[in-house]
Amino acid sequence: SAVISQKPSRDICQRGTSLTIQCQVDSQVTMMFWYRQQPGQSLTLIATANQGSEATYESGFVIDKFPISRPNLTFSTLTVSNMSPEDSSIYLCSVTLGATSTDTKYFGPGTRLTVL
Amino acid sequence: AQTVTQSQPEMSVQEAETVTLSCTYDTSESDYYLFWYKQPPSRQMILVIRQEAYKQQNATENRFSVNFQKAAKSFSLKISDSQLGDAAMYFCAYRSGGGGADGLTFGKGTHLIIQP
């Protein structure tokens, strides 16, 4: 298994500002993903964080709004830029161990973001 | 694109009884994986059970088992001997085959209430 930590665990931000969320894993992982969970909703995949190259974004998410970095195999950041109240959500980091079809995805504890 | 549907926003069961949570999905792929995740109030996503589409045998994990009907694209979760600690949101999720490179597509979730 993998132990995943996220910082900050929660934050309250003002409209128009940006917040960077960190995801740290205690072991090297194959894949890292970022999800958004809006209040009372399910999880939606934002992007796949690729090590050493640009992230792969899902439909409806763009790099200018959600820039992502992944400098190595254990760490990634997600920035929520120019925030609005609609960005209030829980943001979760997820990792995959192994590169085979039997891999399992683990999730971090999430970062609860409130935008005023 | 794949879709996952959970038609039960909320389910309630007496402690020690059995409950079944429903999930259907839509895909044109033949190689894929299905998951049930549990999200307690702590919001930590916990993998409950996983099913590979190529396997005919239903997955089981202690008190948790699935009824996987590939032709019907149905993937229900049965929880036996329900315990108070089972109370949580339960999400059904889909992932394309081919290793861990793809993120998960989640259903909207079912809120499970355990009555003592």
Side-chain angles (χ1 to χ4, degrees):
Chain A
S1 64
V3 177
I4 307 169
S5 60
Q6 287 185 231
K7 290 181 180 179
S9 60
R10 60 176 61 219
D11 206 343
I12 300 173
C13 300
Q14 295 297 318
R15 181 195 299 260
T17 62
S18 298
L19 176 72
T20 295
I21 302 168
Q22 299 179 359
C23 176
Q24 179 73 56
V25 192
D26 68 342
S27 58
Q28 292 185 352
V29 296
T30 309
M31 307 294 295
M32 299 182 78
F33 305 87
W34 287 98
Y35 290 83
R36 179 177 73 181
Q37 186 175 23
Q38 294 176 302
Q41 301 297 315
S42 184
L43 284 75
T44 301
L45 180 65
I46 297 173
T48 302
N50 300 309
Q51 195 246 333
S53 64
E54 192 172 285
T56 304
Y57 290 84
E58 297 298 306
S59 176
F61 298 95
V62 295
I63 187 172
D64 289 345
K65 177 66 177 178
F66 298 101
I68 288 171
S69 77
R70 187 181 173 192
N72 56 52
L73 294 175
T74 64
F75 184 78
S76 177
T77 66
L78 167 73
T79 298
V80 186
S81 302
N82 188 25
M83 289 184 283
S84 67
E86 292 71 33
D87 294 320
S88 297
S89 296
I90 297 171
Y91 292 86
L92 298 103
C93 171
S94 173
V95 304
T96 298
L97 300 184
T100 70
S101 60
T102 59
D103 71 286
T104 298
K105 286 184 167 51
Y106 297 90
F107 285 82
T111 296
R112 183 183 295 275
L113 171 61
T114 301
V115 184
L116 302 177
Chain B
Q2 295 79 27
T3 59
V4 177
T5 302
Q6 293 179 250
S7 59
Q8 304 155 317
E10 186 173 281
M11 291 284 285
S12 181
V13 64
Q14 293 287 130
E15 193 176 4
E17 296 295 309
T18 295
V19 63
T20 298
L21 308 184
S22 301
C23 173
T24 59
Y25 59 94
D26 187 25
T27 183
S28 59
E29 300 175 334
S30 58
D31 183 20
Y32 54 88
Y33 302 84
L34 298 164
F35 306 83
W36 279 98
Y37 279 89
K38 169 185 176 181
Q39 187 180 42
S42 67
R43 76 172 181 257
Q44 177 72 55
M45 292 288 286
I46 302 166
L47 177 65
V48 175
I49 200 164
R50 175 182 61 227
Q51 175 79 44
E52 292 86 346
Y54 64 83
K55 289 187 177 178
Q56 292 186 337
Q57 186 174 7
N58 290 324
T60 63
E61 288 287 342
N62 301 313
R63 296 183 296 108
F64 299 88
S65 62
V66 298
N67 183 7
F68 174 48
Q69 301 290 327
K70 190 172 184 178
K73 295 180 182 176
S74 171
F75 183 61
S76 61
L77 174 70
K78 185 173 80 171
I79 305 174
S80 303
D81 185 26
S82 298
Q83 301 176 359
L84 295 177
D86 295 333
M89 283 293 292
Y90 285 81
F91 293 99
C92 179
Y94 173 102
R95 198 205 85 207
S96 297
D102 293 327
L104 298 171
T105 300
F106 285 87
K108 291 187 179 296
T110 296
H111 182 209
L112 179 62
I113 298 168
I114 310 294
Q115 298 189 356

